[in-house]
Amino acid sequence: MWIRSTMAYRASFAMTTFANFAVTALDFVAILLMFSRIDVLGGWPLPEVAFLYGLSCMAFGLADLAIGSMERLGQRVRDGTLDTLLVRPAPVLAQVAADRFALRRLGRITQGGLVLGYALTTVDIAWTPLKVLLMPVIVVSGAGIFGAVFVAGAAFQFVAQDASEVQNAFTYGGTTMLQYPPTVFGKELVRGVTFLLPLAFVNWLPAAYVLDRPLPLDLPRWVAFASPLVAVGCCALAGLAWRAGLRTYRSTGS
Amino acid sequence: MGSGRLYAAVAAGGFRRYATYRAATAAGVFTNTVFGLILVYTYLALWDEKPHLGGYDQAQAVTYVWLGQALLSTLAIGGSGVEVELMERIRTGDVAIDLYRPADLQLWWLAADLGRALFQLLGRGVIPFLFGALVFDVALPGDAARWAAFVVAVLLGMAVSFGIRYLVALLTFWLMDGTGVTHMTMLAGFFCSGMVLPLNVFPGTLGDVVRDLPWSALLQKPADVLLGEADPWSTFAFQGAWAVALLAAGRLVQSVATRRVVVQGG
């Protein structure tokens, strides 16, 4: 239904699709512009940065496609339309996720896939069966971790109501950060996104293993395989947060 | 000067309206600070590799990042100023009510947008900038004249920014749904204003072209005035020329568009 409604205005749909593709590509254009002036960034050449970028973008794109509408929860809490969802015989989480499903979100996945394709053809990887097997696992676990961040952010909005932008710092900010090599950032920041908010498991750690680079923070090599476990853990925690948030929900009005 | 008072009141209303959303403002400050941090580290890595890239030293590059975060919502570089509301009023037909008010449509929205911009500068811009200046090594001028010139450049940037977004909003008269153009404005705003990367780092002809487009009046030119990399007077002339051209174009399109308005109902 949401797909058909966006098609009603054709010119607008075409522009939105193009712009969405281009806006997400803008980060990569910035990286390309940087590499027009330099050969390595934080010690990483362009194909390897593209590898990080592609993985981060695909994982985020999948999570955004599935439950990106969570951002709008704050608005629903404010105007009271969440009540409508509560009385329907379907899980609230699923309903919020399906709300305003937008086909244009495919733009990010497509673009991430293209960059990842470019990276795979140019980067020099000593492939082993284990590494090949790891690739889809990285993308799926990454999507799980970002999905957990989306849900946790939505749970936070039950309390904060119109502070949905805080969520952007972790979702959009997180994916932007992961597009650059970990060596670029301060140790404290890397520690933060490894142990506190485990975004490093989306691509930094497993990608370092695939590229035969030392893992950030001198972590042992087996940590690169922990991504699925971390993703499951994050989703469980986010689920608990969501239920706690939903329980505190009181409709608008005095 | 009765009409002067009217527009001052509209501007004050715009200021107050945005000041109401305190949690949203705090959230915006937080987000701007996080993005600033991420950008600062990538810029430092870039300038480590190539010192004096684009004529900036490291401290200037870091200052540029925090200026960008401070001016992002002030100058509505990616859109989301009052034009969102104007587009909605055009789509629903409420604009007909605005047209029979004894006020000029363009000046009304300009005043409202200036009020919004001033609030965003104070409410959202100052804190990330102070955070950046305290935590990192920045290059800020000591003399008051350069700060004054920077303020003038930011004010002129507000006029250029409104000029662009007003034209975009008027397109709704023809397109009805503004989502597409809103996205295009965001794209152009981020890329051509220097939000993605300072425009003086852009290579070759691409760099020459983007530096002459109106968007460079939003971030690149005011930043260069503050960093002492550009002559204030020629910057003012550049920004002023674009502001006048865009506002005049807006007026022209407005007169064509409002002739199309048909008021329905009885």
Side-chain angles (χ1 to χ4, degrees), chain B residues 100-135:
Chain B
Y100 67 63
R101 279 194 182 127
D104 182 77
L105 191 70
Q106 191 184 30
L107 278 177
W108 173 284
W109 288 101
L110 174 61
D113 198 55
L114 285 182
R116 179 205 60 81
L118 284 175
F119 171 74
Q120 299 285 39
L121 184 63
L122 299 175
R124 256 184 93 157
V126 171
I127 295 173
F129 190 77
L130 283 181
F131 172 84
L134 290 174
V135 176

PDB file of all heavy atoms in Angstrom, chain B residues 100-135:
ATOM      1  N   TYR B 100      -4.292  36.279   0.871  1.00  0.00           N
ATOM      2  CA  TYR B 100      -5.119  37.467   1.081  1.00  0.00           C
ATOM      3  C   TYR B 100      -4.822  38.201   2.387  1.00  0.00           C
ATOM      4  O   TYR B 100      -5.510  39.107   2.776  1.00  0.00           O
ATOM      5  CB  TYR B 100      -6.616  37.174   0.868  1.00  0.00           C
ATOM      6  CG  TYR B 100      -7.312  36.256   1.840  1.00  0.00           C
ATOM      7  CD1 TYR B 100      -7.444  36.576   3.183  1.00  0.00           C
ATOM      8  CD2 TYR B 100      -7.894  35.073   1.363  1.00  0.00           C
ATOM      9  CE1 TYR B 100      -8.119  35.721   4.043  1.00  0.00           C
ATOM     10  CE2 TYR B 100      -8.564  34.228   2.219  1.00  0.00           C
ATOM     11  CZ  TYR B 100      -8.675  34.556   3.568  1.00  0.00           C
ATOM     12  OH  TYR B 100      -9.345  33.717   4.410  1.00  0.00           O
ATOM     13  N   ARG B 101      -3.739  37.772   3.051  1.00  0.00           N
ATOM     14  CA  ARG B 101      -3.298  38.541   4.219  1.00  0.00           C
ATOM     15  C   ARG B 101      -2.644  39.833   3.745  1.00  0.00           C
ATOM     16  O   ARG B 101      -2.037  39.849   2.681  1.00  0.00           O
ATOM     17  CB  ARG B 101      -2.256  37.739   4.999  1.00  0.00           C
ATOM     18  CG  ARG B 101      -2.867  36.708   5.901  1.00  0.00           C
ATOM     19  CD  ARG B 101      -1.831  36.198   6.895  1.00  0.00           C
ATOM     20  NE  ARG B 101      -2.428  35.165   7.721  1.00  0.00           N
ATOM     21  CZ  ARG B 101      -1.905  33.956   7.896  1.00  0.00           C
ATOM     22  NH1 ARG B 101      -0.781  33.645   7.308  1.00  0.00           N
ATOM     23  NH2 ARG B 101      -2.508  33.087   8.664  1.00  0.00           N
ATOM     24  N   PRO B 102      -2.744  40.899   4.548  1.00  0.00           N
ATOM     25  CA  PRO B 102      -2.117  42.166   4.135  1.00  0.00           C
ATOM     26  C   PRO B 102      -0.615  42.157   4.385  1.00  0.00           C
ATOM     27  O   PRO B 102      -0.071  43.070   4.980  1.00  0.00           O
ATOM     28  CB  PRO B 102      -2.824  43.199   5.009  1.00  0.00           C
ATOM     29  CG  PRO B 102      -3.172  42.443   6.245  1.00  0.00           C
ATOM     30  CD  PRO B 102      -3.443  41.029   5.826  1.00  0.00           C
ATOM     31  N   ALA B 103       0.054  41.098   3.958  1.00  0.00           N
ATOM     32  CA  ALA B 103       1.500  41.030   4.124  1.00  0.00           C
ATOM     33  C   ALA B 103       2.073  40.384   2.883  1.00  0.00           C
ATOM     34  O   ALA B 103       1.390  39.635   2.188  1.00  0.00           O
ATOM     35  CB  ALA B 103       1.848  40.206   5.358  1.00  0.00           C
ATOM     36  N   ASP B 104       3.352  40.665   2.620  1.00  0.00           N
ATOM     37  CA  ASP B 104       4.001  40.098   1.448  1.00  0.00           C
ATOM     38  C   ASP B 104       4.407  38.661   1.741  1.00  0.00           C
ATOM     39  O   ASP B 104       5.034  38.383   2.775  1.00  0.00           O
ATOM     40  CB  ASP B 104       5.231  40.937   1.109  1.00  0.00           C
ATOM     41  CG  ASP B 104       5.909  40.424  -0.132  1.00  0.00           C
ATOM     42  OD1 ASP B 104       5.396  40.702  -1.218  1.00  0.00           O
ATOM     43  OD2 ASP B 104       6.929  39.724   0.007  1.00  0.00           O
ATOM     44  N   LEU B 105       4.027  37.737   0.846  1.00  0.00           N
ATOM     45  CA  LEU B 105       4.277  36.311   1.082  1.00  0.00           C
ATOM     46  C   LEU B 105       5.761  36.019   1.312  1.00  0.00           C
ATOM     47  O   LEU B 105       6.142  35.367   2.277  1.00  0.00           O
ATOM     48  CB  LEU B 105       3.758  35.500  -0.110  1.00  0.00           C
ATOM     49  CG  LEU B 105       3.695  33.982   0.090  1.00  0.00           C
ATOM     50  CD1 LEU B 105       2.616  33.603   1.078  1.00  0.00           C
ATOM     51  CD2 LEU B 105       3.454  33.277  -1.240  1.00  0.00           C
ATOM     52  N   GLN B 106       6.606  36.545   0.428  1.00  0.00           N
ATOM     53  CA  GLN B 106       8.039  36.238   0.502  1.00  0.00           C
ATOM     54  C   GLN B 106       8.667  36.832   1.768  1.00  0.00           C
ATOM     55  O   GLN B 106       9.417  36.154   2.467  1.00  0.00           O
ATOM     56  CB  GLN B 106       8.743  36.779  -0.743  1.00  0.00           C
ATOM     57  CG  GLN B 106      10.159  36.276  -0.878  1.00  0.00           C
ATOM     58  CD  GLN B 106      10.873  36.907  -2.059  1.00  0.00           C
ATOM     59  OE1 GLN B 106      10.589  38.047  -2.432  1.00  0.00           O
ATOM     60  NE2 GLN B 106      11.787  36.177  -2.653  1.00  0.00           N
ATOM     61  N   LEU B 107       8.319  38.109   2.062  1.00  0.00           N
ATOM     62  CA  LEU B 107       8.903  38.749   3.239  1.00  0.00           C
ATOM     63  C   LEU B 107       8.433  38.058   4.524  1.00  0.00           C
ATOM     64  O   LEU B 107       9.197  37.907   5.474  1.00  0.00           O
ATOM     65  CB  LEU B 107       8.502  40.227   3.288  1.00  0.00           C
ATOM     66  CG  LEU B 107       9.341  41.165   2.425  1.00  0.00           C
ATOM     67  CD1 LEU B 107       8.796  42.574   2.517  1.00  0.00           C
ATOM     68  CD2 LEU B 107      10.798  41.131   2.858  1.00  0.00           C
ATOM     69  N   TRP B 108       7.179  37.619   4.514  1.00  0.00           N
ATOM     70  CA  TRP B 108       6.625  36.916   5.682  1.00  0.00           C
ATOM     71  C   TRP B 108       7.453  35.681   6.005  1.00  0.00           C
ATOM     72  O   TRP B 108       7.913  35.480   7.121  1.00  0.00           O
ATOM     73  CB  TRP B 108       5.164  36.539   5.390  1.00  0.00           C
ATOM     74  CG  TRP B 108       4.531  35.679   6.428  1.00  0.00           C
ATOM     75  CD1 TRP B 108       4.726  34.344   6.630  1.00  0.00           C
ATOM     76  CD2 TRP B 108       3.596  36.091   7.429  1.00  0.00           C
ATOM     77  NE1 TRP B 108       3.965  33.894   7.664  1.00  0.00           N
ATOM     78  CE2 TRP B 108       3.255  34.948   8.181  1.00  0.00           C
ATOM     79  CE3 TRP B 108       2.989  37.327   7.736  1.00  0.00           C
ATOM     80  CZ2 TRP B 108       2.356  34.987   9.237  1.00  0.00           C
ATOM     81  CZ3 TRP B 108       2.080  37.356   8.791  1.00  0.00           C
ATOM     82  CH2 TRP B 108       1.773  36.205   9.531  1.00  0.00           C
ATOM     83  N   TRP B 109       7.675  34.851   4.963  1.00  0.00           N
ATOM     84  CA  TRP B 109       8.425  33.615   5.198  1.00  0.00           C
ATOM     85  C   TRP B 109       9.892  33.877   5.450  1.00  0.00           C
ATOM     86  O   TRP B 109      10.539  33.163   6.208  1.00  0.00           O
ATOM     87  CB  TRP B 109       8.232  32.650   4.027  1.00  0.00           C
ATOM     88  CG  TRP B 109       6.851  32.067   4.005  1.00  0.00           C
ATOM     89  CD1 TRP B 109       5.819  32.447   3.204  1.00  0.00           C
ATOM     90  CD2 TRP B 109       6.336  31.028   4.850  1.00  0.00           C
ATOM     91  NE1 TRP B 109       4.698  31.711   3.497  1.00  0.00           N
ATOM     92  CE2 TRP B 109       4.988  30.829   4.494  1.00  0.00           C
ATOM     93  CE3 TRP B 109       6.886  30.252   5.863  1.00  0.00           C
ATOM     94  CZ2 TRP B 109       4.175  29.884   5.129  1.00  0.00           C
ATOM     95  CZ3 TRP B 109       6.090  29.313   6.484  1.00  0.00           C
ATOM     96  CH2 TRP B 109       4.752  29.131   6.119  1.00  0.00           C
ATOM     97  N   LEU B 110      10.433  34.943   4.827  1.00  0.00           N
ATOM     98  CA  LEU B 110      11.835  35.306   5.087  1.00  0.00           C
ATOM     99  C   LEU B 110      12.000  35.662   6.562  1.00  0.00           C
ATOM    100  O   LEU B 110      12.937  35.205   7.224  1.00  0.00           O
ATOM    101  CB  LEU B 110      12.259  36.489   4.198  1.00  0.00           C
ATOM    102  CG  LEU B 110      13.661  37.061   4.464  1.00  0.00           C
ATOM    103  CD1 LEU B 110      14.736  36.006   4.220  1.00  0.00           C
ATOM    104  CD2 LEU B 110      13.948  38.271   3.582  1.00  0.00           C
ATOM    105  N   ALA B 111      11.067  36.464   7.081  1.00  0.00           N
ATOM    106  CA  ALA B 111      11.137  36.861   8.490  1.00  0.00           C
ATOM    107  C   ALA B 111      11.045  35.637   9.391  1.00  0.00           C
ATOM    108  O   ALA B 111      11.823  35.476  10.346  1.00  0.00           O
ATOM    109  CB  ALA B 111      10.024  37.851   8.820  1.00  0.00           C
ATOM    110  N   ALA B 112      10.093  34.738   9.090  1.00  0.00           N
ATOM    111  CA  ALA B 112       9.930  33.538   9.913  1.00  0.00           C
ATOM    112  C   ALA B 112      11.195  32.691   9.884  1.00  0.00           C
ATOM    113  O   ALA B 112      11.625  32.139  10.906  1.00  0.00           O
ATOM    114  CB  ALA B 112       8.742  32.718   9.418  1.00  0.00           C
ATOM    115  N   ASP B 113      11.819  32.609   8.688  1.00  0.00           N
ATOM    116  CA  ASP B 113      13.021  31.779   8.562  1.00  0.00           C
ATOM    117  C   ASP B 113      14.211  32.404   9.290  1.00  0.00           C
ATOM    118  O   ASP B 113      15.042  31.705   9.848  1.00  0.00           O
ATOM    119  CB  ASP B 113      13.349  31.535   7.085  1.00  0.00           C
ATOM    120  CG  ASP B 113      14.282  30.350   6.914  1.00  0.00           C
ATOM    121  OD1 ASP B 113      13.933  29.245   7.404  1.00  0.00           O
ATOM    122  OD2 ASP B 113      15.360  30.512   6.327  1.00  0.00           O
ATOM    123  N   LEU B 114      14.297  33.741   9.274  1.00  0.00           N
ATOM    124  CA  LEU B 114      15.393  34.405   9.992  1.00  0.00           C
ATOM    125  C   LEU B 114      15.254  34.154  11.490  1.00  0.00           C
ATOM    126  O   LEU B 114      16.250  33.911  12.184  1.00  0.00           O
ATOM    127  CB  LEU B 114      15.393  35.908   9.704  1.00  0.00           C
ATOM    128  CG  LEU B 114      15.916  36.320   8.331  1.00  0.00           C
ATOM    129  CD1 LEU B 114      15.912  37.837   8.202  1.00  0.00           C
ATOM    130  CD2 LEU B 114      17.331  35.803   8.106  1.00  0.00           C
ATOM    131  N   GLY B 115      14.028  34.208  11.992  1.00  0.00           N
ATOM    132  CA  GLY B 115      13.795  33.914  13.410  1.00  0.00           C
ATOM    133  C   GLY B 115      14.237  32.501  13.747  1.00  0.00           C
ATOM    134  O   GLY B 115      14.923  32.264  14.750  1.00  0.00           O
ATOM    135  N   ARG B 116      13.860  31.564  12.859  1.00  0.00           N
ATOM    136  CA  ARG B 116      14.251  30.167  13.040  1.00  0.00           C
ATOM    137  C   ARG B 116      15.773  30.027  13.053  1.00  0.00           C
ATOM    138  O   ARG B 116      16.356  29.400  13.931  1.00  0.00           O
ATOM    139  CB  ARG B 116      13.677  29.317  11.905  1.00  0.00           C
ATOM    140  CG  ARG B 116      14.011  27.845  11.952  1.00  0.00           C
ATOM    141  CD  ARG B 116      13.944  27.215  10.578  1.00  0.00           C
ATOM    142  NE  ARG B 116      14.881  27.833   9.649  1.00  0.00           N
ATOM    143  CZ  ARG B 116      16.177  27.532   9.587  1.00  0.00           C
ATOM    144  NH1 ARG B 116      16.670  26.619  10.373  1.00  0.00           N
ATOM    145  NH2 ARG B 116      16.962  28.150   8.733  1.00  0.00           N
ATOM    146  N   ALA B 117      16.420  30.670  12.072  1.00  0.00           N
ATOM    147  CA  ALA B 117      17.876  30.561  11.925  1.00  0.00           C
ATOM    148  C   ALA B 117      18.593  31.122  13.156  1.00  0.00           C
ATOM    149  O   ALA B 117      19.562  30.531  13.637  1.00  0.00           O
ATOM    150  CB  ALA B 117      18.337  31.290  10.668  1.00  0.00           C
ATOM    151  N   LEU B 118      18.112  32.250  13.670  1.00  0.00           N
ATOM    152  CA  LEU B 118      18.766  32.842  14.843  1.00  0.00           C
ATOM    153  C   LEU B 118      18.636  31.917  16.050  1.00  0.00           C
ATOM    154  O   LEU B 118      19.585  31.749  16.815  1.00  0.00           O
ATOM    155  CB  LEU B 118      18.166  34.217  15.155  1.00  0.00           C
ATOM    156  CG  LEU B 118      18.629  35.325  14.209  1.00  0.00           C
ATOM    157  CD1 LEU B 118      17.888  36.626  14.504  1.00  0.00           C
ATOM    158  CD2 LEU B 118      20.130  35.542  14.320  1.00  0.00           C
ATOM    159  N   PHE B 119      17.457  31.292  16.189  1.00  0.00           N
ATOM    160  CA  PHE B 119      17.325  30.370  17.313  1.00  0.00           C
ATOM    161  C   PHE B 119      18.276  29.189  17.154  1.00  0.00           C
ATOM    162  O   PHE B 119      18.960  28.792  18.101  1.00  0.00           O
ATOM    163  CB  PHE B 119      15.899  29.844  17.484  1.00  0.00           C
ATOM    164  CG  PHE B 119      15.874  28.748  18.510  1.00  0.00           C
ATOM    165  CD1 PHE B 119      15.991  29.051  19.848  1.00  0.00           C
ATOM    166  CD2 PHE B 119      15.849  27.412  18.123  1.00  0.00           C
ATOM    167  CE1 PHE B 119      16.061  28.042  20.806  1.00  0.00           C
ATOM    168  CE2 PHE B 119      15.914  26.404  19.077  1.00  0.00           C
ATOM    169  CZ  PHE B 119      16.020  26.719  20.408  1.00  0.00           C
ATOM    170  N   GLN B 120      18.312  28.617  15.938  1.00  0.00           N
ATOM    171  CA  GLN B 120      19.176  27.450  15.717  1.00  0.00           C
ATOM    172  C   GLN B 120      20.647  27.790  15.954  1.00  0.00           C
ATOM    173  O   GLN B 120      21.406  26.964  16.437  1.00  0.00           O
ATOM    174  CB  GLN B 120      18.996  26.910  14.287  1.00  0.00           C
ATOM    175  CG  GLN B 120      17.591  26.449  13.970  1.00  0.00           C
ATOM    176  CD  GLN B 120      17.225  25.127  14.592  1.00  0.00           C
ATOM    177  OE1 GLN B 120      17.602  24.853  15.717  1.00  0.00           O
ATOM    178  NE2 GLN B 120      16.460  24.313  13.879  1.00  0.00           N
ATOM    179  N   LEU B 121      21.024  29.040  15.609  1.00  0.00           N
ATOM    180  CA  LEU B 121      22.417  29.448  15.829  1.00  0.00           C
ATOM    181  C   LEU B 121      22.731  29.451  17.325  1.00  0.00           C
ATOM    182  O   LEU B 121      23.744  28.911  17.763  1.00  0.00           O
ATOM    183  CB  LEU B 121      22.651  30.845  15.230  1.00  0.00           C
ATOM    184  CG  LEU B 121      24.082  31.366  15.303  1.00  0.00           C
ATOM    185  CD1 LEU B 121      25.017  30.484  14.497  1.00  0.00           C
ATOM    186  CD2 LEU B 121      24.172  32.794  14.804  1.00  0.00           C
ATOM    187  N   LEU B 122      21.831  30.040  18.115  1.00  0.00           N
ATOM    188  CA  LEU B 122      22.073  30.142  19.558  1.00  0.00           C
ATOM    189  C   LEU B 122      21.802  28.807  20.257  1.00  0.00           C
ATOM    190  O   LEU B 122      22.561  28.382  21.123  1.00  0.00           O
ATOM    191  CB  LEU B 122      21.185  31.233  20.166  1.00  0.00           C
ATOM    192  CG  LEU B 122      21.407  32.640  19.623  1.00  0.00           C
ATOM    193  CD1 LEU B 122      20.398  33.613  20.208  1.00  0.00           C
ATOM    194  CD2 LEU B 122      22.829  33.108  19.914  1.00  0.00           C
ATOM    195  N   GLY B 123      20.714  28.148  19.872  1.00  0.00           N
ATOM    196  CA  GLY B 123      20.299  26.947  20.588  1.00  0.00           C
ATOM    197  C   GLY B 123      21.073  25.713  20.184  1.00  0.00           C
ATOM    198  O   GLY B 123      21.369  24.848  21.010  1.00  0.00           O
ATOM    199  N   ARG B 124      21.384  25.608  18.893  1.00  0.00           N
ATOM    200  CA  ARG B 124      22.005  24.375  18.418  1.00  0.00           C
ATOM    201  C   ARG B 124      23.436  24.534  17.977  1.00  0.00           C
ATOM    202  O   ARG B 124      24.191  23.578  17.951  1.00  0.00           O
ATOM    203  CB  ARG B 124      21.208  23.828  17.230  1.00  0.00           C
ATOM    204  CG  ARG B 124      20.364  22.659  17.602  1.00  0.00           C
ATOM    205  CD  ARG B 124      19.691  22.099  16.396  1.00  0.00           C
ATOM    206  NE  ARG B 124      20.479  21.026  15.822  1.00  0.00           N
ATOM    207  CZ  ARG B 124      19.942  20.078  15.058  1.00  0.00           C
ATOM    208  NH1 ARG B 124      18.661  20.100  14.786  1.00  0.00           N
ATOM    209  NH2 ARG B 124      20.691  19.116  14.575  1.00  0.00           N
ATOM    210  N   GLY B 125      23.804  25.766  17.571  1.00  0.00           N
ATOM    211  CA  GLY B 125      25.124  25.954  16.980  1.00  0.00           C
ATOM    212  C   GLY B 125      26.229  26.165  17.990  1.00  0.00           C
ATOM    213  O   GLY B 125      27.326  25.631  17.862  1.00  0.00           O
ATOM    214  N   VAL B 126      25.929  26.963  19.028  1.00  0.00           N
ATOM    215  CA  VAL B 126      26.996  27.425  19.919  1.00  0.00           C
ATOM    216  C   VAL B 126      27.634  26.287  20.715  1.00  0.00           C
ATOM    217  O   VAL B 126      28.857  26.206  20.819  1.00  0.00           O
ATOM    218  CB  VAL B 126      26.442  28.528  20.856  1.00  0.00           C
ATOM    219  CG1 VAL B 126      27.449  28.873  21.932  1.00  0.00           C
ATOM    220  CG2 VAL B 126      26.076  29.764  20.044  1.00  0.00           C
ATOM    221  N   ILE B 127      26.799  25.375  21.243  1.00  0.00           N
ATOM    222  CA  ILE B 127      27.357  24.352  22.152  1.00  0.00           C
ATOM    223  C   ILE B 127      28.317  23.378  21.453  1.00  0.00           C
ATOM    224  O   ILE B 127      29.427  23.165  21.944  1.00  0.00           O
ATOM    225  CB  ILE B 127      26.231  23.600  22.896  1.00  0.00           C
ATOM    226  CG1 ILE B 127      25.497  24.593  23.806  1.00  0.00           C
ATOM    227  CG2 ILE B 127      26.791  22.456  23.734  1.00  0.00           C
ATOM    228  CD1 ILE B 127      24.275  24.042  24.479  1.00  0.00           C
ATOM    229  N   PRO B 128      27.926  22.784  20.280  1.00  0.00           N
ATOM    230  CA  PRO B 128      28.913  21.913  19.622  1.00  0.00           C
ATOM    231  C   PRO B 128      30.204  22.662  19.287  1.00  0.00           C
ATOM    232  O   PRO B 128      31.300  22.118  19.411  1.00  0.00           O
ATOM    233  CB  PRO B 128      28.203  21.472  18.338  1.00  0.00           C
ATOM    234  CG  PRO B 128      26.773  21.657  18.608  1.00  0.00           C
ATOM    235  CD  PRO B 128      26.652  22.789  19.570  1.00  0.00           C
ATOM    236  N   PHE B 129      30.058  23.951  18.897  1.00  0.00           N
ATOM    237  CA  PHE B 129      31.241  24.730  18.538  1.00  0.00           C
ATOM    238  C   PHE B 129      32.140  24.935  19.755  1.00  0.00           C
ATOM    239  O   PHE B 129      33.360  24.763  19.672  1.00  0.00           O
ATOM    240  CB  PHE B 129      30.818  26.084  17.950  1.00  0.00           C
ATOM    241  CG  PHE B 129      31.951  26.837  17.347  1.00  0.00           C
ATOM    242  CD1 PHE B 129      32.441  26.484  16.101  1.00  0.00           C
ATOM    243  CD2 PHE B 129      32.561  27.870  18.034  1.00  0.00           C
ATOM    244  CE1 PHE B 129      33.508  27.159  15.549  1.00  0.00           C
ATOM    245  CE2 PHE B 129      33.631  28.551  17.486  1.00  0.00           C
ATOM    246  CZ  PHE B 129      34.108  28.194  16.238  1.00  0.00           C
ATOM    247  N   LEU B 130      31.543  25.282  20.907  1.00  0.00           N
ATOM    248  CA  LEU B 130      32.329  25.467  22.126  1.00  0.00           C
ATOM    249  C   LEU B 130      32.996  24.162  22.536  1.00  0.00           C
ATOM    250  O   LEU B 130      34.160  24.139  22.926  1.00  0.00           O
ATOM    251  CB  LEU B 130      31.435  25.971  23.262  1.00  0.00           C
ATOM    252  CG  LEU B 130      31.054  27.447  23.208  1.00  0.00           C
ATOM    253  CD1 LEU B 130      30.182  27.806  24.398  1.00  0.00           C
ATOM    254  CD2 LEU B 130      32.304  28.321  23.177  1.00  0.00           C
ATOM    255  N   PHE B 131      32.250  23.061  22.436  1.00  0.00           N
ATOM    256  CA  PHE B 131      32.805  21.751  22.757  1.00  0.00           C
ATOM    257  C   PHE B 131      34.050  21.490  21.901  1.00  0.00           C
ATOM    258  O   PHE B 131      35.107  21.115  22.413  1.00  0.00           O
ATOM    259  CB  PHE B 131      31.752  20.659  22.519  1.00  0.00           C
ATOM    260  CG  PHE B 131      32.293  19.263  22.632  1.00  0.00           C
ATOM    261  CD1 PHE B 131      32.401  18.644  23.867  1.00  0.00           C
ATOM    262  CD2 PHE B 131      32.705  18.568  21.493  1.00  0.00           C
ATOM    263  CE1 PHE B 131      32.916  17.355  23.971  1.00  0.00           C
ATOM    264  CE2 PHE B 131      33.218  17.279  21.588  1.00  0.00           C
ATOM    265  CZ  PHE B 131      33.321  16.676  22.835  1.00  0.00           C
ATOM    266  N   GLY B 132      33.895  21.720  20.585  1.00  0.00           N
ATOM    267  CA  GLY B 132      35.014  21.495  19.669  1.00  0.00           C
ATOM    268  C   GLY B 132      36.203  22.379  20.007  1.00  0.00           C
ATOM    269  O   GLY B 132      37.351  21.947  19.990  1.00  0.00           O
ATOM    270  N   ALA B 133      35.912  23.659  20.328  1.00  0.00           N
ATOM    271  CA  ALA B 133      36.990  24.611  20.596  1.00  0.00           C
ATOM    272  C   ALA B 133      37.726  24.265  21.887  1.00  0.00           C
ATOM    273  O   ALA B 133      38.914  24.535  22.027  1.00  0.00           O
ATOM    274  CB  ALA B 133      36.415  26.024  20.669  1.00  0.00           C
ATOM    275  N   LEU B 134      36.996  23.666  22.846  1.00  0.00           N
ATOM    276  CA  LEU B 134      37.631  23.350  24.128  1.00  0.00           C
ATOM    277  C   LEU B 134      38.416  22.042  24.063  1.00  0.00           C
ATOM    278  O   LEU B 134      39.456  21.911  24.693  1.00  0.00           O
ATOM    279  CB  LEU B 134      36.562  23.250  25.232  1.00  0.00           C
ATOM    280  CG  LEU B 134      35.917  24.588  25.624  1.00  0.00           C
ATOM    281  CD1 LEU B 134      34.792  24.377  26.610  1.00  0.00           C
ATOM    282  CD2 LEU B 134      36.960  25.545  26.186  1.00  0.00           C
ATOM    283  N   VAL B 135      37.914  21.061  23.304  1.00  0.00           N
ATOM    284  CA  VAL B 135      38.520  19.736  23.316  1.00  0.00           C
ATOM    285  C   VAL B 135      39.654  19.613  22.292  1.00  0.00           C
ATOM    286  O   VAL B 135      40.619  18.901  22.511  1.00  0.00           O
ATOM    287  CB  VAL B 135      37.447  18.652  23.072  1.00  0.00           C
ATOM    288  CG1 VAL B 135      38.046  17.266  22.981  1.00  0.00           C
ATOM    289  CG2 VAL B 135      36.414  18.698  24.195  1.00  0.00           C
TER     290      VAL B 135
END
